[in-house]
Amino acid sequence: MKILNKDIINELPNIPNESIDMIFIDPPYHQDFTQYLPDFRKKLKQNGQILWCVQPTELFDLPEKPLQVLVWKEPMAPKPKRRKYYETFDVIAWYA
């Protein structure tokens, strides 16, 4: 197994087509990666998968419907300054 921890946009041209099992994308907030989805798909093996962390409001703006939407609930975390606890979650769009 080989794990690449690089800037995907800069590294994408160097990756051979149909050579990746999984792409996990957790882009910075408000940075649009939807234009790269066709390029990501070209790099996947036949049974490859894409896991893409998105904001809940971004689900409606994705270029194609994901196979599944996963909700990852994080443990209780303290709010800064208030010392109260709140729950947080992340949304992951799963493409196969």
Side-chain angles (χ1 to χ4, degrees), residues 40 71 93:
F40 294 155
V71 177

Side-chain angles (χ1 to χ4, degrees), residues 24 26 53 69-75 88-92:
F24 184 88
D26 190 2
C53 297
V69 174
L70 310 170
V71 177
W72 173 22
K73 181 182 172 200
E74 297 179 25
T88 59
F89 64 93
D90 286 321
V91 176
I92 301 171

